[in-house]
Amino acid sequence: MKTALSVKHLVGIKDLTLSDIELIFATADNFKSVINRPIKKVPSLRDVTIANIFFENSTRTRISFELAERRLSADVLNFSASASSVKKGETLIDTVKNILAMKVDMVVMRHSSAGACKFLADNIDAVVVNAGDGTHEHPTQALLDAFSIRENLGNVKGKKVAIVGDIMHSRVALSNILCLQKLGAEVMVSGPPTLIPKYISALGVKVEYDLMKALQWCDVANMLRIQLERQDIKYFPSTREYSMQYGLNKQRLDSLKKKILIMHPGPINRGVEITSDVADSDQSIILDQVENGVAIRMAVLYLLAAKTQE
Ligand code: CP
């Protein structure tokens, strides 16, 4: 197995090779054992300074990156746009260049604009990690999702994964499709026709508007949140009707003649895309996903830190 990534930045899954993903998983396997030990820290990044720059709200991703950085002994700087000089009109590049002038090696960024991380990677010397850019990609979410499927089902290759919900506004959907396909899974998207982009079949995914048919087909259902904050018009009549047609509840799950894995990237809107009894059931691996996020992000940061020397 190779020992270095083929990329300097993690902007999107589209830039990673299958070998890159396998290397990240093998490295995350090691870090997962580390974080389950009584002493959870390793000195791997003790000479590295990482800035977490979040221009959009986050709970899981921000905390998970910060924990991963601290477990690797990096120096950590947290920057929240809402309390910064961005509010006084400073540009993205000026803001980041000022942070880098303080000798920062890596930048983890979440931004509401698709392409913001690529723009940054093209314009600064530090290593850039995308923590979600608009409706474009959320690469570490896709890696931790695929890693969690591998952990629970033994392998991703040959598995059937249905991604259900607001595909149109989801960066998680695109990154998951690309990652799962690279690993040899079959992918289906399901949801209201208004929330499934017309180009999606060009990515080689199946499209199924009937939730029950999608559930009967799949081994894994990844339930996505309706991203109301990104919707400028109404795509369905009401959340109640959405939930009646596309919400996953215990009755639907129990009517299947098989057990499927239930995933959700969070944050969950309980009672809309998923009911509490499903989210908290023994088929749900939602908290495994959160746990694995730390190991995956440790692996990504550790492997990309080697690129700061190049
Ligand atoms: N899954 C995810 O990106 O969650 P946060 O928005 O809380 O980071």
Side-chain angles (χ1 to χ4, degrees):
M1 183 181 280
K2 65 180 200 162
T3 54
L5 293 177
S6 66
V7 290
K8 177 178 174 187
H9 310 280
L10 180 56
V11 170
I13 297 290
K14 66 178 180 309
D15 304 322
L16 297 181
T17 63
L18 174 59
S19 308
D20 287 330
I21 298 173
E22 287 170 346
L23 175 60
I24 292 168
F25 283 6
T27 312
D29 284 334
N30 289 332
F31 284 132
K32 184 149 183 188
S33 359
V34 168
I35 58 181
N36 281 294
R37 292 190 319 216
I39 296 169
K40 299 176 174 55
K41 270 180 106 151
V42 285
S44 316
L45 298 195
R46 80 179 155 205
D47 299 323
V48 176
T49 304
I50 305 176
N52 301 312
I53 304 183
F54 278 66
F55 289 90
E56 253 193 2
N57 295 343
S58 170
T59 298
R60 278 146 292 272
T61 312
R62 201 190 61 73
I63 291 173
S64 179
F65 265 112
E66 186 174 343
L67 252 185
E69 290 152 8
R70 293 191 189 282
R71 301 274 192 250
L72 291 166
S73 305
D75 287 324
V76 179
L77 196 93
N78 285 313
F79 171 93
S80 164
S82 59
S84 74
S85 291
V86 169
K87 290 280 170 206
K88 300 176 193 165
E90 192 166 53
T91 66
L92 173 62
I93 289 289
D94 281 339
T95 300
V96 176
K97 282 192 171 163
N98 275 274
I99 293 170
L100 296 184
M102 299 178 220
K103 309 292 174 224
V104 167
D105 305 292
M106 302 175 81
V107 173
V108 175
M109 185 170 80
R110 170 168 288 191
H111 201 282
S112 55
S113 298
C117 290
K118 166 84 173 111
F119 176 70
L120 202 62
D122 288 346
N123 285 283
I124 63 169
D125 289 332
V127 165
V128 175
V129 183
N130 183 358
D133 62 329
T135 55
H136 177 225
E137 282 225 37
H138 192 349
T140 55
Q141 180 71 47
L143 290 166
L144 72 89
D145 288 344
F147 185 82
S148 303
I149 294 173
R150 168 183 174 265
E151 184 178 69
N152 279 274
L153 299 182
N155 206 344
V156 178
K157 195 175 168 121
K159 298 295 179 296
K160 294 177 175 170
V161 182
I163 305 174
V164 181
D166 183 359
I167 310 298
M168 171 99 81
H169 302 97
S170 172
R171 53 193 172 214
V172 173
L174 180 60
S175 288
N176 260 267
I177 289 167
L178 300 174
C179 188
L180 291 165
Q181 287 180 334
K182 284 179 196 228
L183 289 163
E186 280 185 77
V187 185
M188 175 183 279
V189 293
S190 181
T194 48
L195 287 176
I196 302 206
K198 290 189 176 48
Y199 65 78
I200 203 86
S201 321
L203 295 177
V205 302
K206 297 178 194 303
V207 178
E208 175 56 70
Y209 300 120
D210 182 328
L211 174 66
M212 283 315 294
K213 285 188 183 160
L215 295 176
Q216 274 148 6
W217 173 84
C218 72
D219 303 306
V220 181
N222 194 352
M223 306 303 296
L224 303 184
R225 181 175 66 89
I226 296 295
Q227 311 217 7
L228 291 171
E229 75 276 20
R230 296 191 202 286
Q231 298 180 9
D232 45 2
I233 57 167
K234 268 183 135 9
Y235 289 85
F236 48 86
S238 66
T239 46
R240 188 169 161 272
E241 283 188 60
Y242 178 84
S243 156
M244 280 166 64
Q245 280 212 37
Y246 290 102
L248 183 54
N249 57 35
K250 200 82 173 76
Q251 189 194 356
R252 285 186 166 138
L253 199 57
D254 289 346
S255 72
L256 303 174
K257 305 257 179 304
K258 58 178 183 179
K259 288 245 173 191
I260 60 170
L261 277 190
I262 307 301
M263 303 177 70
H264 194 305
I268 294 175
N269 286 143
R270 288 176 183 260
V272 180
E273 68 274 7
I274 192 167
T275 53
S276 285
D277 50 6
V278 174
D280 302 332
S281 72
D282 59 3
Q283 284 170 255
S284 161
I285 59 164
I286 295 171
L287 291 179
D288 295 7
Q289 293 171 257
V290 178
E291 181 184 344
N292 287 333
V294 179
I296 282 288
R297 289 174 176 123
M298 285 174 83
V300 165
L301 293 166
Y302 172 79
L303 292 165
L304 287 178
K307 307 284 175 176
T308 60
Q309 318 301 329
E310 289 176 2

